[in-house]
Amino acid sequence: MTGVLEGIRVLDYGRFIAAPWCSAILADMGADVLRVEKREGGEDRWVQSVTDSGEGGTFLQCNRNKRSLTLDSTTEQGAEITRRLVARSDIVIANMPAAGMRASGLDYDTLRAIKPDIILASATAYGEGGPYSDRIGFDGAGQVMSGAVYRQGLPELPIRTVVPYADFGTALTLAIGVMMALYHRDRTGTGQHVESALLPTAMMLSNAHLIERDLLGIDKPRMGNRGASVAPCDLYRTADDQWVLLQIAGAPMFKRWCRLVGRPELFEDPRFADDDLRWQHGDLLNDLMADWCAQRTKAEVLAALMDAKLPAAPLHSTQDVLDDPHVAAMGYLQRVPFPGAAHDVPIIETPFRMSGTPGSIRRRAPLLGEHTDEVLDEIGYDPGQVARLRADGIV
């Protein structure tokens, strides 16, 4: 089946997550994405190594469906290769501060001088135009500076999440912007610069906390796994030393929960008249639920909660996820072979599904420079010229 973005060419200078995951989504949808790396490989290639040759798990996820070209773009010959690549491309994606973009010849003015309708998609830590714009930062910077980590964790210890949601969220917002820019270009013939950043993405995801603080002048305390605005809500330990999540919101759910735990009178108790009041008295409700769960196995707890139509879920280990029958039935993880991996690698599918033009994983992440000769041939270099470029350390 033809991908909806077939014929779109993308130059990917991204590293780590924000830019590479954006370009991976475009690649899933049929775009020809070329990852341009230093001759020794981008540093993100080797983080969290899981293969014999050193590629990391996040690299394998974020770089499927791409080709790899190694290039020293600081040389005159390398700059010429870059110009030829830009001239035939639709989109350039990178994540680095503006100064680094200019130094690499990847700033918007330089790119559109080569290709007037080019779309530049850039991801940064803080966004361009402010006092922090020249700073570098990873996902954690967005988390801790958004106010979210201030509100999460234990009473005595703020805790950032191990899941890099600011990075992946920035990738998704950048992909949305790129698609809007492509749509605009199709209508007008004009390219543009699309920007996304870790800090505003993290602020978007935690905006309600900022609104609450601004309008009500309060910051609710850190409460571990308990709910920030509703109760009962927590992870509860079961009799067989497992954990189950329950989140109750709204009067109908609360009424069903009261019946389930044998305390129907709580529904008429003025202390629990709405979600805010239930949160304020959440210790009592959470303690009741904790006691109820402690007398039952995980299977018994989940069965009862599901029968009562209450939103509950088991705490999965990473192995539990790999073994989950729903994950298997839905095909959320695609098994993709990779040289040097112990066996086929479980790679998450395209994070949305389309009935007519679905995304797909057509090829594994590339080995370092795996497609260098192929790409150079496409832009007019003959085998002798490629051999000289290799001998000179350009590719």
Side-chain angles (χ1 to χ4, degrees):
M1 181 178 295
T2 301
V4 69
L5 292 181
E6 185 171 356
I8 297 296
R9 286 179 169 154
V10 181
L11 284 181
D12 179 6
Y13 293 89
R15 297 296 178 263
F16 296 103
I17 297 172
W21 184 237
C22 170
S23 58
I25 293 170
L26 304 181
D28 284 3
M29 303 310 295
D32 177 9
V33 178
L34 177 62
R35 175 181 163 93
V36 183
E37 299 186 66
K38 297 180 292 186
R39 293 176 66 246
E40 65 272 24
E43 53 270 44
D44 61 324
R45 179 180 279 271
W46 316 117
V47 176
Q48 190 192 351
S49 174
V50 294
T51 71
D52 291 345
S53 50
E55 285 84 1
T58 301
F59 173 83
L60 298 182
Q61 172 192 350
C62 291
N63 292 282
R64 80 284 194 92
N65 287 334
K66 302 179 186 179
R67 298 189 290 169
S68 171
L69 166 77
T70 55
L71 179 65
D72 181 355
S73 60
T74 65
T75 63
E76 183 178 343
Q77 300 101 310
E80 172 59 24
I81 291 172
T82 299
R83 283 191 289 271
R84 293 195 194 186
L85 291 171
V86 171
R88 69 168 198 163
S89 295
D90 300 282
I91 303 162
V92 174
I93 295 179
N95 52 329
M96 60 184 77
M101 300 281 281
R102 289 190 294 270
S104 302
L106 298 176
D107 59 285
Y108 183 51
D109 287 340
T110 298
L111 293 174
R112 67 178 175 176
I114 302 170
K115 180 87 180 311
D117 66 348
I118 197 77
I119 294 168
L120 170 62
S122 63
T124 62
Y126 302 103
E128 298 301 332
Y132 305 153
S133 295
D134 290 333
R135 297 183 186 179
I136 61 172
F138 288 141
D139 169 89
Q143 290 194 36
V144 301
M145 291 189 66
S146 69
V149 177
Y150 184 79
R151 288 282 303 271
Q152 69 191 32
L154 303 174
E156 73 284 1
L157 179 67
I159 300 175
R160 70 176 179 89
T161 176
V162 68
V163 175
Y165 67 80
D167 261 332
F168 279 104
T170 298
L172 296 175
T173 58
L174 191 61
I176 293 169
V178 167
M179 296 313 301
M180 297 299 103
L182 279 173
Y183 182 67
H184 174 78
R185 193 186 70 170
D186 284 348
R187 297 175 68 186
T188 67
T190 304
Q192 60 183 299
H193 182 186
V194 180
E195 181 192 356
S196 191
L198 303 178
L199 178 57
T201 296
M203 291 171 61
M204 170 194 70
L205 296 169
S206 57
N207 194 190
H209 298 322
L210 303 179
I211 293 171
E212 188 176 57
R213 173 67 194 185
D214 190 68
L215 297 185
L216 303 181
I218 61 170
D219 281 308
K220 292 176 179 175
R222 292 186 290 270
M223 302 179 66
N225 291 311
R226 295 194 170 187
S229 58
V230 296
C233 177
D234 204 347
L235 275 166
Y236 304 97
R237 190 191 297 268
T238 62
D240 51 349
D241 203 28
Q242 300 293 310
W243 295 87
V244 171
L245 172 72
L246 174 68
Q247 298 172 288
I248 298 296
M253 284 187 193
F254 181 61
K255 187 172 187 178
R256 295 199 299 274
W257 176 81
C258 292
R259 291 171 177 165
L260 176 69
V261 298
R263 298 294 301 273
E265 76 280 3
L266 295 179
F267 186 70
E268 304 298 335
D269 192 316
R271 293 175 297 174
F272 311 125
D274 57 35
D275 281 328
D276 284 338
L277 288 169
R278 288 192 284 275
W279 178 83
Q280 291 174 29
H281 298 92
D283 286 349
L284 173 58
L285 299 177
N286 282 305
D287 288 347
L288 284 171
M289 189 60 189
D291 290 342
W292 187 87
C293 290
Q295 302 171 44
R296 294 163 175 82
T297 66
K298 180 178 78 170
E300 291 169 338
V301 168
L302 287 170
L305 292 173
M306 291 175 187
D307 285 346
K309 295 187 175 357
L310 297 175
L315 174 66
H316 270 4
S317 69
T318 49
Q319 189 61 53
D320 290 335
V321 179
L322 293 170
D323 296 337
D324 188 279
H326 182 80
V327 171
M330 295 297 293
Y332 290 145
L333 293 173
Q334 299 292 310
R335 290 284 177 176
V336 180
F338 191 90
H343 47 254
D344 290 355
V345 183
I347 304 291
I348 188 70
E349 68 165 2
T350 308
F352 53 88
R353 290 184 169 181
M354 300 175 67
S355 63
T357 55
S360 63
I361 300 177
R362 301 176 303 284
R363 65 167 88 194
R364 57 167 172 77
L367 298 173
L368 180 61
E370 182 174 356
H371 305 94
T372 295
D373 289 10
E374 175 181 299
V375 172
L376 292 177
D377 175 71
E378 291 172 2
I379 58 175
Y381 289 86
D382 64 38
Q385 291 173 309
V386 173
R388 286 191 291 276
L389 289 170
R390 287 192 181 280
D392 293 340
I394 307 303
V395 297

